[in-house]
Every structure is written in C-alpha cells, then in structure tokens.
Amino acid sequence: MASRSVAAVIAGTQLTRIERLPDSEGLHNEIVLQKGHAVHFGASITQMIALGGGKAMEAGHANHVEKRHLMEAITDRTAALMYVKSHHAVQKGMQSLETMLSVAQEHKIPLIVDAAAEADLRRYTAMGADLVIYSGGKAIEGPTSGLICGRADLIEACRAQYKGIGRAMKVGKEAIIGLLTALQRYGTREETAQAQKQRMGWLIDQLTDINGLECRLARDEAGREIYRAELRIDAQRLGWSATELMKRLEGGDPAIYTRHHYANMGILQIDPRPLLPGQEQVIVKRIRELAGAK
C-alpha cells in the first residue's frame, strides 16, 4: 500500500508515467519523512517508497526532528510527505502529525499517513491527511490485504497503478471477500480497552509471586487504546533471559508468541487481542511451569 500510494503521488493517472515506474528519473519523486520514521516493520519502509518510484528524504535525526528540518527537506522535487503512525517508529523527539499536516498544507504537498495497525479508520482523513494506509490483517482482523483512504483524485491515481506496479500486488478474490467481510464486522466486537485491562490484570496477578518477574499493565507505546501485560525479566533470579523465555514459549505445545521488540532489554509483552477467551490461563500455566512455580 505504501508503494502504491507513493506511485500515485508521483505518476498520478498519466499512463506513460505509470508504466515507467519505479523509474522516476526527472519526475517529482522525493518523499520526505522524519528520520525516526524510516523504520523496518518486517520490511524497510524506505524500500517500499523506492518500489513506488520514490526517493526517501530523511529529515532530522533518529531521536530529534524539528519543524525546520522538515521545511528544509522540501524541494521543487518533493512529491509528498509521509508520516508513520506505528509503535515501530521512534516516539521520542519526533514532530507530531499535526505539524506534518501544517507543513504539507503550507507547501500544498500531499501527506501520506501509514496507519497500518491503527484502529480508527476515519480519524486521519478527518484531520486532513491526503492518503491513509491501513492493513486489512491487523486491527481490522481480516486476511493479508490492505486499503487506502483519502482524496478522491489520489484514490483514483492509486487505482490507476493497477496498470503499473500495482499489477504485481494483486490479492485474490478470496482475500477481497475476506477483507470486505472483516470491514462489515468491524466495530461490532465486544472487547473494549476495559476488557483488555481486566484480562491482562488477571494474568499479571497470577504471575506476581514468581521470583525474577516484574509484571505491570502497559499501554501501547504509540498511544493506541491497547493494554498489554508487560513482563520484565531478571535473568539471574528467574534462570531464563527474556530471549530464552520467549524461545521456550514459542517452542511449547501450544506455541505461545509474545511481543518481543524489547527482549534485548529483558522485556516481553502479552497482547490480549489475538487471544480467545480463556487462553490467558494457558499462558499463565506455561510461564509458571518454566519458572518452576507451583
């Protein structure tokens, strides 16, 4: 979706341009994003930009970006600004989405928001973003797929990329039906943030007596209404490092997968969203077995 959005702002609906991408030599092809947003989320976002014909222009520093950095990164070759709303992105020292919107509007440049895992499907277009990218397989809970929302002319340009780079990005009819079904069901789920807190609170209570584990409720670092159980592991006291515990959980039957972005810092998280009712009990039982607790 990022590649197609980039292609759309570079080539528009002009067939000759569409057919030559990702070769964009001589076109407005620079995509400005904050350096802390040039992340890897299973693939490199700068590679995704390049596949759409874009040249990623990283503004500022990995932990500090000022509005002036963004302003000075804009040239007569700039095709769009991009904002990555993700827990993968650096949260410290980055400019807000509101600032990015103001810069884009001041320079009359489109703003692309990569909101792949976000749950609110209306917020960013309502704020003024020109294109917003969502994953169909994350918060929407559909199959591997994606969708783009935004300005009618840019959505038309996204659709036009089917005759170019979009041709290789088609999903099957089954995935289309799955995504449409997931969208129809979206918003009707009963579990709320409060229910997540209750489930994860119970899990934390069951593990608090384990020597070497410090447990707490943690809100999603990107500000979403998602609440997880965070386990801080003291390897000397527990007998396992966070990475070792993670591997043993994954290697068990059933396999238990944690959020392990901070495993190198001794932190694992349990996410309630993919869990069926009662599966938190399975997780507690397995962790207690590994920790030697009764």
Side-chain angles (χ1 to χ4, degrees):
M1 295 293 106
S3 299
R4 189 180 287 230
S5 297
V6 168
V9 297
I10 293 173
T13 57
Q14 295 186 40
L15 184 58
T16 302
R17 291 186 175 185
I18 290 169
E19 291 179 339
R20 63 179 280 201
L21 293 181
D23 175 12
S24 60
E25 185 68 29
L27 302 178
H28 292 74
N29 64 357
E30 294 180 355
I31 308 297
V32 175
L33 72 164
Q34 302 183 74
K35 193 172 188 68
H37 287 193
V39 295
H40 190 286
F41 49 71
S44 166
I45 196 163
T46 56
Q47 183 182 47
M48 298 301 101
I49 291 171
L51 287 172
K55 182 178 180 181
M57 307 300 293
E58 299 175 18
H61 309 278
N63 66 337
H64 179 74
V65 179
E66 297 186 19
K67 183 177 180 180
R68 178 181 282 183
H69 286 129
L70 296 167
M71 303 281 280
E72 293 176 356
I74 294 172
T75 72
D76 57 3
R77 297 178 298 280
T78 302
L81 273 64
M82 178 176 284
Y83 185 92
V84 182
K85 178 64 176 175
S86 169
H87 67 277
H88 292 293
V90 175
Q91 308 300 321
K92 173 186 175 182
M94 296 298 105
Q95 290 295 311
S96 67
L97 175 57
E98 288 80 2
T99 298
M100 292 285 283
L101 280 165
S102 70
V103 171
Q105 291 166 359
E106 182 178 340
H107 288 80
K108 295 181 172 55
I109 297 171
L111 175 67
I112 302 169
V113 177
D114 188 326
E118 290 292 292
D120 193 328
L121 304 184
R122 295 183 174 87
R123 177 184 177 189
Y124 301 109
T125 51
M127 290 175 68
D130 299 281
L131 286 174
V132 186
I133 303 162
Y134 294 98
S135 168
K138 293 185 172 67
I140 296 172
E141 298 183 356
T144 299
S145 55
L147 65 151
I148 308 173
C149 307
R151 265 173 39 194
D153 60 323
L154 290 178
I155 293 297
E156 182 61 29
C158 289
R159 187 179 296 111
Q161 305 312 309
Y162 179 75
K163 294 186 176 182
I165 65 161
R167 179 78 180 178
M169 302 175 184
K170 294 190 299 179
V171 297
K173 294 180 176 63
E174 298 86 355
I176 294 172
I177 294 300
L179 176 59
L180 290 173
T181 301
L183 286 169
Q184 289 174 344
R185 296 174 57 187
Y186 189 69
T188 64
R189 292 167 299 178
E190 295 182 0
E191 183 163 87
T192 62
Q194 186 59 36
Q196 291 179 10
K197 291 179 182 178
Q198 291 174 351
R199 294 180 74 189
M200 293 299 96
W202 178 87
L203 184 147
I204 289 167
D205 288 343
Q206 304 307 305
L207 301 177
T208 52
D209 65 322
I210 297 178
N211 186 31
L213 273 188
E214 179 184 334
C215 307
R216 72 181 187 95
L217 192 67
R219 184 175 176 175
D220 179 70
E221 56 267 58
R224 295 174 295 175
E225 283 290 321
I226 301 169
Y227 295 87
R228 306 182 180 97
E230 182 173 282
L231 315 181
R232 292 179 175 264
I233 292 96
D234 183 326
Q236 289 186 337
R237 292 164 57 202
L238 184 65
W240 307 109
S241 70
T243 300
E244 289 168 337
L245 178 60
M246 173 194 76
K247 290 179 178 178
R248 281 162 176 76
L249 288 170
E250 291 178 0
D253 183 15
I256 297 170
Y257 288 87
T258 60
R259 285 174 62 90
H260 54 264
H261 306 297
Y262 303 109
N264 64 311
M265 299 169 61
I267 299 172
L268 299 176
Q269 290 186 336
I270 307 297
D271 194 322
R273 293 175 298 167
L275 299 180
L276 296 175
Q279 287 186 332
E280 58 267 31
Q281 298 172 21
V282 177
I283 296 172
V284 165
K285 180 181 178 182
R286 182 59 178 152
I287 290 175
R288 294 188 68 84
E289 287 173 353
L290 290 171
K294 295 182 179 180

